[in-house]
Amino acid sequence: PSGAGRAGGAGAERRGGGTGGPVYVQRRAGGVCAAVRRGGARSPGGGGGRAPDEDGAAGWVANAISYSTVITCFSNLRSERGAEGAAHWLGRMKEAATRDSSVAPTFREYDHVLMAFASVADRRPDLIADARTLFHEMGAMGVPPSDVTYAATIKAASRDARREAWEECRDLLRQAADGPGATRQALTGVFTAMAGSLGASARDPAVAMAAVELLAHF
């Protein structure tokens, strides 16, 4: 997706069993960035320079690539723990950015967290609200959304069975069409929301009317 992370790094670790499994990847990624923040390891991807770390001790500091790599790795787990981990490290990245603006997250990091939320929103409805909050935060922080931003937010919101969710997803799709572009995934998410909040019945006139309205817009 266009919302891919800044660098592959630990996020490119082989998936599967043994030391390439998701749990190993998660621990390795978290350990790398934690070690960097403690000053005990070189920042992945280079750069960052020799400078005091967050605890004030001399050492290598985490740079934007360090945080982005870890966020990407957690997001790729596509699990509740992965979503929580990605959100946690985005929070740490934003905190670090208050001291060093070069570490400020871009749409890429937000997109990965939003994708992580969307992947488990059916099991964790609380993450639907978190996805909405993150989307609006991007606007408040002046971070322009990408096509992936809209698709992931729509996918998360589509898990909300309330009628307002369909309308919200429809409006987000229109915003995407007027901005970075509406993807096939975003359109699918809107139809999912429409079916869930309007009854999911082919005999329901409201569903048919909503579908015609949506297709006419595009």
Side-chain angles (χ1 to χ4, degrees), residues 39-57:
R42 179 180 294 274
S43 175
R50 186 88 176 171
D53 65 11
E54 293 176 337
D55 297 324

Side-chain angles (χ1 to χ4, degrees), residues 79-169:
S79 66
E80 295 178 44
R81 193 173 183 184
E84 293 170 350
H88 170 77
W89 283 102
L90 177 62
R92 296 278 285 268
M93 188 177 191
K94 290 186 289 187
E95 179 187 352
T98 63
R99 297 182 294 274
D100 180 1
S101 61
S102 70
V103 188
T106 69
F107 71 88
R108 295 179 180 87
E109 289 72 49
Y110 278 98
D111 284 357
H112 276 290
V113 178
L114 285 168
M115 287 190 292
F117 285 171
S119 69
V120 296
D122 55 339
R123 304 190 300 274
R124 287 283 303 276
D126 57 303
L127 295 181
I128 299 173
D130 290 346
R132 290 176 173 132
T133 298
L134 210 58
F135 177 81
H136 292 300
E137 179 185 296
M138 290 179 69
M141 298 296 292
V143 179
S146 71
D147 56 345
V148 174
T149 306
Y150 282 104
T153 305
I154 289 171
K155 182 178 179 180
S158 72
R159 304 304 182 184
D160 189 338
R162 296 177 301 169
R163 182 183 181 89
E164 301 80 51
W166 137 248
E167 296 169 344
E168 174 190 8
C169 292

Side-chain angles (χ1 to χ4, degrees), residues 170-171 173-178 182 210-218:
R170 177 198 60 199
D171 293 344
L173 186 67
R174 288 173 173 171
Q175 291 178 33
D178 293 336
V212 170
E213 176 192 353
L214 184 61
L215 292 174
H217 184 75
F218 291 95

Side-chain angles (χ1 to χ4, degrees), residues 3-57:
R6 281 187 170 99
E13 190 71 40
R14 179 177 62 86
R15 299 298 188 267
T19 58
V23 174
Y24 170 78
V25 172
Q26 178 182 350
R27 289 175 179 170
R28 181 175 183 272
V32 167
C33 205
V36 169
R37 291 169 67 87
R38 288 196 304 269
R42 179 180 294 274
S43 175
R50 186 88 176 171
D53 65 11
E54 293 176 337
D55 297 324

